[in-house]
Amino acid sequence: MDCGTICPICFSEYTTAGNHRIVSLQCGHLFGSQCIEKWIGKKTKMQCPLCSGKSTKRQIRPIYASKVVAMDTENEQRLLERCREKEKKNKEHVEVNAELRAQIAALKAELARISQERVGDAFAIHKQKKISVSVGFNATNSLIGYDESSSTLVVTRKSGKSVGVQKFESHDFSKSEFIGLGEGSFIRSMSLSPFNEGIGLFPTGNVLNIMDVYSSCVVSQCIVYNQIESICFDRDDRNVIYCGDNRGVVYFINASSPETFKMLKVSNMSIHSICKKGLAVFASTVYQTYKIVFSAECLPCTLEVEPYSICTNMAAHGNHLLLTFRTIDFRVRHFVWGERETYFSLGIKQTRRHRDKIYRNYIYVVDDERNTIRILRLHSLEVVYTYAFKEKVLDFFVNDTFLFVLTKFIVHIFSNSV
């Protein structure tokens, strides 16, 4: 029965005036005026015909509406309560999911770190000494490298007025030919292609010599404005070369067309080290290290490290950067920047620059006071092995197969197998 449109006593529709206008009792139920008055006339104390609630004739009140239609919202209220409960549960589920995602991300990062450590541990430290080779000259200002594609050991040297590269045979590392690259005192930096293409970079003065190590031919040259102090390949693009000069300028060179290059001045001081890590190029002077991110403006920003004194070395491998700082008494301190950022000190002295390296999950540090190379595990900074020599270590090169250590007249060759 729809009491909002018809009288529950006579089942006739309400009127807005007259004998059947709509009225209500104090209980709230609606009736036609004539019908409810007759109902009251039968009893001295009236009861509502619908709910039996007590009422009197005086309590009859007219309703000023042409038609009353009451909407049943009980179902809506129940649905609304259910929606609120579901929203509450969904919110709880979202919070739980966010927490689980954070835990999954942390576990993935830990798994990646462990996997990287396993890859690094697969590279065994070179504990087996294979051979010692006399270089046949004073290697005080020399650098050493190894081209894996041609299995050729190269050492920079000076011969007369010319500076160049001394090659050593791959089968027994005996000295073979010398390739002169120009006049000068010594080659300040060198880099071999990480793509195993047999290409080496050997700067002399302001000339960058790009050489095919296997054929001993200089395939191209790039002439910049000032003396080149540091150089490296881009590990992501085989055609890109970076170098820094003695006036604080960084050059971006395309190996396929080295006659054209871009340049960016980052300092007034010599850039002694340069390397590429991730999407940025890092260039280091004795007092500051600069991070250059390729963008429309291509502006350098300083790396936020606190110099221990003067920076003497910068090396990169994978996602990590290694900086060496030296005090006036030649004591050094190191800073690792990348996935982790930390300083460490071994209490050692260094009198030469440009030697400490980072390779896979190991850090190689030279101690000039004891003529040693110490190997530290990257993540724990634990010293896991030490090489000792009778003479000062001038330079060294390490890869998965060999460790080449250059002293004044000898190259010491180590491997990780008998």
Side-chain angles (χ1 to χ4, degrees):
M1 181 188 301
D2 188 359
C3 296
T5 57
I6 60 175
C7 174
I9 297 176
C10 68
F11 304 109
S12 299
E13 291 186 352
Y14 300 119
T15 61
T16 58
N19 295 331
H20 206 254
R21 65 178 301 174
I22 186 170
V23 297
S24 71
L25 299 178
Q26 66 175 2
C27 61
H29 288 118
L30 304 178
F31 305 94
S33 59
Q34 187 179 34
C35 295
I36 195 63
E37 286 175 359
K38 287 182 179 180
W39 184 275
I40 291 174
K42 296 178 181 178
K43 300 181 180 180
T44 56
K45 288 188 177 180
M46 186 197 99
Q47 289 182 334
C48 174
L50 294 180
C51 67
S52 300
K54 293 182 179 181
S55 186
T56 64
K57 192 173 182 179
R58 291 182 178 181
Q59 294 172 341
I60 297 175
R61 297 287 186 270
I63 301 297
Y64 298 98
S66 59
K67 183 180 289 188
V68 176
V69 178
M71 295 181 64
D72 185 2
T73 60
E74 185 177 356
N75 290 334
E76 290 184 6
Q77 290 296 325
R78 285 198 297 266
L79 291 174
L80 184 60
E81 289 297 325
R82 290 179 183 176
C83 289
R84 288 173 180 170
E85 290 179 2
K86 287 185 178 180
E87 286 180 359
K88 184 178 179 180
K89 290 181 179 179
N90 288 340
K91 186 177 180 181
E92 292 175 353
H93 290 159
V94 168
E95 292 176 354
V96 171
N97 288 340
E99 184 178 352
L100 290 175
R101 288 194 186 99
Q103 293 177 2
I104 291 171
L107 290 173
K108 285 183 177 179
E110 181 67 14
L111 180 61
R113 186 187 68 80
I114 293 173
S115 299
Q116 187 178 9
E117 283 188 352
R118 287 182 177 177
V119 171
D121 289 339
F123 156 69
I125 298 172
H126 309 305
K127 297 182 180 180
Q128 300 295 328
K129 188 168 185 179
K130 184 174 182 179
I131 192 174
S132 293
V133 177
S134 174
V135 295
F137 54 86
N138 188 331
T140 299
N141 294 317
S142 297
L143 303 173
I144 191 169
Y146 181 72
D147 176 47
E148 295 186 50
S149 64
S150 61
S151 301
T152 302
L153 178 67
V154 294
V155 179
T156 64
R157 61 168 293 195
K158 183 175 182 179
S159 178
K161 293 183 179 181
S162 177
V163 292
V165 177
Q166 182 71 58
K167 293 174 58 176
F168 292 81
E169 295 290 349
S170 59
H171 62 282
D172 60 357
F173 297 106
S174 60
K175 186 168 62 174
S176 59
E177 62 179 316
F178 171 76
I179 304 100
L181 298 174
E183 294 187 357
S185 55
F186 59 91
I187 293 177
R188 299 174 181 275
S189 179
M190 64 175 282
S191 181
L192 297 172
S193 173
F195 300 101
N196 291 329
E197 297 173 324
I199 301 298
L201 306 177
F202 304 95
T204 53
N206 67 330
V207 179
L208 170 60
N209 300 284
I210 304 176
M211 188 177 81
D212 185 325
V213 176
Y214 180 75
S215 65
S216 304
C217 294
V218 176
V219 294
S220 61
Q221 290 181 324
C222 177
I223 301 175
V224 298
Y225 294 104
N226 306 302
Q227 178 176 282
I228 299 173
E229 294 286 332
S230 54
I231 195 159
C232 75
F233 280 97
D234 189 315
R235 290 186 170 271
D236 299 316
D237 189 338
R238 55 175 30 92
N239 290 319
V240 178
I241 300 167
Y242 308 100
C243 61
D245 70 14
N246 61 344
R247 299 293 180 88
V249 177
V250 173
Y251 298 88
F252 310 91
I253 302 170
N254 190 326
S256 59
S257 57
E259 65 279 358
T260 59
F261 53 82
K262 296 180 181 179
M263 52 188 290
L264 178 67
K265 188 173 180 62
V266 299
S267 174
N268 292 321
M269 305 188 70
S270 174
I271 297 174
H272 62 66
S273 300
I274 192 167
C275 61
K276 173 78 180 299
K277 187 182 84 69
L279 299 177
V281 174
F282 292 84
S284 184
T285 67
V286 292
Y287 292 118
Q288 188 61 61
T289 298
Y290 299 90
K291 178 182 178 182
I292 306 168
V293 179
F294 294 99
S295 62
E297 297 179 351
C298 196
L299 297 177
C301 65
T302 57
L303 187 64
E304 294 182 359
V305 297
E306 297 179 4
Y308 185 59
S309 182
I310 62 173
C311 181
T312 60
N313 181 74
M314 179 177 64
H317 186 82
N319 295 322
H320 290 91
L321 195 70
L322 176 68
L323 296 169
T324 305
F325 298 102
R326 189 175 69 188
T327 61
I328 194 170
D329 63 349
F330 299 104
R331 296 288 177 185
V332 295
R333 189 183 186 193
H334 295 83
F335 177 70
V336 179
W337 188 80
E339 293 178 2
R340 60 174 301 179
E341 298 180 14
T342 182
Y343 283 100
F344 70 92
S345 176
L346 300 177
I348 63 176
K349 284 187 176 182
Q350 288 186 358
T351 57
R352 288 173 62 92
R353 303 186 299 175
H354 310 313
R355 289 173 299 168
D356 297 340
K357 294 177 175 63
I358 184 168
Y359 185 73
R360 292 197 181 274
N361 289 321
Y362 296 97
I363 299 172
Y364 291 72
V365 176
V366 177
D367 183 353
D368 287 332
E369 193 173 23
R370 300 174 181 84
N371 295 333
T372 61
I373 298 177
R374 300 188 192 183
I375 303 179
L376 292 78
R377 197 177 295 276
L378 175 61
H379 295 285
S380 64
L381 299 179
E382 171 193 6
V383 178
V384 293
Y385 199 74
T386 301
Y387 298 93
F389 305 92
K390 294 180 180 180
E391 294 181 313
K392 183 178 295 185
V393 175
L394 303 177
D395 194 20
F396 68 92
F397 178 89
V398 61
N399 64 9
D400 286 352
T401 309
F402 295 108
L403 169 66
F404 299 95
V405 181
L406 179 65
T407 59
K408 192 172 183 179
F409 294 103
I410 297 175
V411 176
H412 303 273
I413 304 171
F414 299 83
S415 69
N416 54 15
S417 60
V418 179

Short mmCIF file of all heavy atoms in Angstrom, two decimals, residues 367-394:
data_model
loop_
_atom_site.label_atom_id
_atom_site.label_comp_id
_atom_site.label_asym_id
_atom_site.label_seq_id
_atom_site.Cartn_x
_atom_site.Cartn_y
_atom_site.Cartn_z
N ASP A 367 100.52 1.23 -2.85
CA ASP A 367 101.21 1.76 -1.67
C ASP A 367 102.67 1.97 -2.03
O ASP A 367 103.43 1.00 -2.18
CB ASP A 367 101.07 0.78 -0.50
CG ASP A 367 101.70 1.31 0.78
OD1 ASP A 367 102.36 2.36 0.74
OD2 ASP A 367 101.54 0.65 1.83
N ASP A 368 103.09 3.23 -2.20
CA ASP A 368 104.48 3.52 -2.59
C ASP A 368 105.46 3.36 -1.43
O ASP A 368 106.67 3.23 -1.66
CB ASP A 368 104.57 4.95 -3.15
CG ASP A 368 103.95 5.05 -4.53
OD1 ASP A 368 103.96 4.04 -5.24
OD2 ASP A 368 103.47 6.14 -4.89
N GLU A 369 104.96 3.39 -0.22
CA GLU A 369 105.84 3.24 0.93
C GLU A 369 106.32 1.79 1.08
O GLU A 369 107.45 1.54 1.48
CB GLU A 369 105.11 3.69 2.20
CG GLU A 369 106.00 3.89 3.40
CD GLU A 369 105.25 4.50 4.58
OE1 GLU A 369 104.01 4.36 4.63
OE2 GLU A 369 105.91 5.11 5.43
N ARG A 370 105.45 0.85 0.72
CA ARG A 370 105.78 -0.58 0.86
C ARG A 370 105.92 -1.28 -0.48
O ARG A 370 106.16 -2.49 -0.52
CB ARG A 370 104.69 -1.27 1.69
CG ARG A 370 104.52 -0.69 3.09
CD ARG A 370 103.33 -1.31 3.80
NE ARG A 370 103.14 -0.76 5.13
CZ ARG A 370 102.48 0.36 5.39
NH1 ARG A 370 101.95 1.06 4.39
NH2 ARG A 370 102.34 0.80 6.62
N ASN A 371 105.76 -0.55 -1.59
CA ASN A 371 105.84 -1.12 -2.94
C ASN A 371 104.86 -2.29 -3.11
O ASN A 371 105.22 -3.39 -3.53
CB ASN A 371 107.27 -1.59 -3.26
CG ASN A 371 108.25 -0.45 -3.31
OD1 ASN A 371 107.88 0.69 -3.60
ND2 ASN A 371 109.51 -0.73 -3.01
N THR A 372 103.61 -2.03 -2.76
CA THR A 372 102.59 -3.08 -2.84
C THR A 372 101.36 -2.57 -3.60
O THR A 372 101.16 -1.36 -3.77
CB THR A 372 102.14 -3.54 -1.44
OG1 THR A 372 101.58 -2.42 -0.74
CG2 THR A 372 103.31 -4.10 -0.66
N ILE A 373 100.55 -3.53 -4.03
CA ILE A 373 99.20 -3.26 -4.53
C ILE A 373 98.25 -4.04 -3.65
O ILE A 373 98.36 -5.27 -3.52
CB ILE A 373 99.03 -3.70 -6.00
CG1 ILE A 373 99.98 -2.94 -6.92
CG2 ILE A 373 97.58 -3.48 -6.44
CD1 ILE A 373 99.90 -3.39 -8.37
N ARG A 374 97.32 -3.34 -3.03
CA ARG A 374 96.33 -4.00 -2.18
C ARG A 374 95.00 -4.10 -2.92
O ARG A 374 94.58 -3.15 -3.58
CB ARG A 374 96.14 -3.23 -0.87
CG ARG A 374 97.41 -3.09 -0.05
CD ARG A 374 97.11 -2.49 1.30
NE ARG A 374 98.33 -2.10 2.00
CZ ARG A 374 98.35 -1.60 3.23
NH1 ARG A 374 97.21 -1.44 3.89
NH2 ARG A 374 99.49 -1.26 3.80
N ILE A 375 94.36 -5.25 -2.77
CA ILE A 375 93.06 -5.47 -3.39
C ILE A 375 92.00 -5.50 -2.29
O ILE A 375 92.10 -6.27 -1.34
CB ILE A 375 93.03 -6.78 -4.19
CG1 ILE A 375 94.13 -6.78 -5.25
CG2 ILE A 375 91.67 -6.97 -4.85
CD1 ILE A 375 94.17 -8.05 -6.07
N LEU A 376 90.98 -4.65 -2.44
CA LEU A 376 89.90 -4.57 -1.48
C LEU A 376 88.60 -5.02 -2.15
O LEU A 376 88.36 -4.73 -3.33
CB LEU A 376 89.71 -3.15 -0.96
CG LEU A 376 90.78 -2.53 -0.08
CD1 LEU A 376 91.97 -2.05 -0.90
CD2 LEU A 376 90.20 -1.36 0.70
N ARG A 377 87.77 -5.70 -1.38
CA ARG A 377 86.43 -6.02 -1.88
C ARG A 377 85.59 -4.75 -1.83
O ARG A 377 85.57 -4.04 -0.83
CB ARG A 377 85.80 -7.12 -1.03
CG ARG A 377 84.60 -7.79 -1.69
CD ARG A 377 84.05 -8.90 -0.83
NE ARG A 377 85.01 -9.99 -0.69
CZ ARG A 377 85.18 -10.96 -1.57
NH1 ARG A 377 84.44 -10.98 -2.67
NH2 ARG A 377 86.05 -11.92 -1.36
N LEU A 378 84.90 -4.47 -2.92
CA LEU A 378 84.22 -3.19 -3.08
C LEU A 378 83.18 -2.93 -2.00
O LEU A 378 83.12 -1.84 -1.42
CB LEU A 378 83.56 -3.13 -4.47
CG LEU A 378 82.71 -1.89 -4.78
CD1 LEU A 378 83.54 -0.63 -4.70
CD2 LEU A 378 82.06 -2.02 -6.14
N HIS A 379 82.35 -3.91 -1.68
CA HIS A 379 81.23 -3.67 -0.79
C HIS A 379 81.61 -3.71 0.68
O HIS A 379 81.01 -3.02 1.50
CB HIS A 379 80.11 -4.67 -1.07
CG HIS A 379 79.50 -4.51 -2.43
ND1 HIS A 379 78.64 -3.48 -2.74
CD2 HIS A 379 79.66 -5.23 -3.57
CE1 HIS A 379 78.28 -3.58 -4.01
NE2 HIS A 379 78.87 -4.63 -4.53
N SER A 380 82.62 -4.48 1.03
CA SER A 380 83.02 -4.57 2.44
C SER A 380 84.28 -3.79 2.75
O SER A 380 84.60 -3.57 3.92
CB SER A 380 83.23 -6.04 2.83
OG SER A 380 84.32 -6.60 2.10
N LEU A 381 85.03 -3.38 1.70
CA LEU A 381 86.32 -2.68 1.84
C LEU A 381 87.33 -3.51 2.62
O LEU A 381 88.22 -2.99 3.27
CB LEU A 381 86.12 -1.31 2.50
CG LEU A 381 85.22 -0.33 1.74
CD1 LEU A 381 85.09 0.98 2.50
CD2 LEU A 381 85.77 -0.08 0.34
N GLU A 382 87.17 -4.81 2.55
CA GLU A 382 88.10 -5.74 3.20
C GLU A 382 89.27 -6.01 2.26
O GLU A 382 89.09 -6.28 1.07
CB GLU A 382 87.37 -7.04 3.52
CG GLU A 382 88.27 -8.16 4.00
CD GLU A 382 87.58 -9.50 3.99
OE1 GLU A 382 86.42 -9.57 3.52
OE2 GLU A 382 88.19 -10.48 4.46
N VAL A 383 90.50 -5.92 2.79
CA VAL A 383 91.68 -6.24 2.00
C VAL A 383 91.75 -7.76 1.85
O VAL A 383 91.88 -8.49 2.83
CB VAL A 383 92.97 -5.71 2.67
CG1 VAL A 383 94.19 -6.11 1.85
CG2 VAL A 383 92.91 -4.19 2.80
N VAL A 384 91.66 -8.24 0.60
CA VAL A 384 91.60 -9.68 0.37
C VAL A 384 92.90 -10.23 -0.21
O VAL A 384 93.12 -11.45 -0.18
CB VAL A 384 90.43 -10.03 -0.57
CG1 VAL A 384 89.10 -9.73 0.11
CG2 VAL A 384 90.53 -9.27 -1.89
N TYR A 385 93.76 -9.35 -0.74
CA TYR A 385 95.02 -9.84 -1.29
C TYR A 385 95.99 -8.66 -1.43
O TYR A 385 95.56 -7.51 -1.61
CB TYR A 385 94.82 -10.51 -2.65
CG TYR A 385 95.95 -11.41 -3.07
CD1 TYR A 385 96.13 -12.65 -2.47
CD2 TYR A 385 96.86 -11.01 -4.05
CE1 TYR A 385 97.17 -13.49 -2.84
CE2 TYR A 385 97.90 -11.84 -4.43
CZ TYR A 385 98.05 -13.08 -3.82
OH TYR A 385 99.09 -13.90 -4.19
N THR A 386 97.30 -8.98 -1.34
CA THR A 386 98.33 -7.95 -1.47
C THR A 386 99.46 -8.47 -2.34
O THR A 386 99.96 -9.58 -2.12
CB THR A 386 98.88 -7.54 -0.09
OG1 THR A 386 97.82 -7.04 0.72
CG2 THR A 386 99.95 -6.46 -0.23
N TYR A 387 99.85 -7.67 -3.33
CA TYR A 387 101.03 -7.98 -4.15
C TYR A 387 102.19 -7.13 -3.64
O TYR A 387 102.03 -5.93 -3.40
CB TYR A 387 100.79 -7.62 -5.62
CG TYR A 387 99.68 -8.39 -6.28
CD1 TYR A 387 98.38 -7.89 -6.31
CD2 TYR A 387 99.92 -9.62 -6.90
CE1 TYR A 387 97.35 -8.58 -6.94
CE2 TYR A 387 98.90 -10.32 -7.52
CZ TYR A 387 97.62 -9.80 -7.54
OH TYR A 387 96.61 -10.49 -8.15
N ALA A 388 103.37 -7.74 -3.49
CA ALA A 388 104.55 -7.02 -3.02
C ALA A 388 105.65 -7.09 -4.08
O ALA A 388 105.84 -8.14 -4.72
CB ALA A 388 105.05 -7.61 -1.70
N PHE A 389 106.37 -5.98 -4.25
CA PHE A 389 107.43 -5.89 -5.26
C PHE A 389 108.67 -5.25 -4.65
O PHE A 389 108.61 -4.56 -3.63
CB PHE A 389 106.95 -5.07 -6.47
CG PHE A 389 105.67 -5.59 -7.08
CD1 PHE A 389 104.43 -5.10 -6.66
CD2 PHE A 389 105.70 -6.59 -8.03
CE1 PHE A 389 103.26 -5.59 -7.20
CE2 PHE A 389 104.53 -7.09 -8.58
CZ PHE A 389 103.30 -6.59 -8.16
N LYS A 390 109.81 -5.47 -5.31
CA LYS A 390 111.06 -4.91 -4.83
C LYS A 390 111.21 -3.45 -5.25
O LYS A 390 111.96 -2.70 -4.62
CB LYS A 390 112.24 -5.73 -5.36
CG LYS A 390 112.29 -7.15 -4.82
CD LYS A 390 113.49 -7.90 -5.38
CE LYS A 390 113.54 -9.33 -4.83
NZ LYS A 390 114.70 -10.08 -5.37
N GLU A 391 110.54 -3.07 -6.33
CA GLU A 391 110.62 -1.71 -6.83
C GLU A 391 109.25 -1.05 -6.80
O GLU A 391 108.22 -1.71 -6.64
CB GLU A 391 111.18 -1.69 -8.26
CG GLU A 391 112.61 -2.16 -8.38
CD GLU A 391 113.09 -2.10 -9.82
OE1 GLU A 391 112.34 -2.57 -10.71
OE2 GLU A 391 114.19 -1.57 -10.06
N LYS A 392 109.25 0.26 -6.98
CA LYS A 392 108.02 1.03 -6.95
C LYS A 392 107.13 0.65 -8.14
O LYS A 392 107.61 0.48 -9.27
CB LYS A 392 108.34 2.52 -6.99
CG LYS A 392 107.12 3.43 -6.89
CD LYS A 392 107.52 4.89 -6.88
CE LYS A 392 108.33 5.20 -5.63
NZ LYS A 392 108.63 6.65 -5.54
N VAL A 393 105.84 0.55 -7.88
CA VAL A 393 104.87 0.26 -8.94
C VAL A 393 104.60 1.55 -9.72
O VAL A 393 104.12 2.54 -9.16
CB VAL A 393 103.56 -0.29 -8.36
CG1 VAL A 393 102.52 -0.48 -9.46
CG2 VAL A 393 103.81 -1.61 -7.62
N LEU A 394 104.93 1.53 -11.01
CA LEU A 394 104.73 2.72 -11.85
C LEU A 394 103.34 2.76 -12.46
O LEU A 394 102.73 3.81 -12.58
CB LEU A 394 105.79 2.75 -12.95
CG LEU A 394 107.25 2.74 -12.45
CD1 LEU A 394 108.21 2.70 -13.63
CD2 LEU A 394 107.53 3.95 -11.57
#
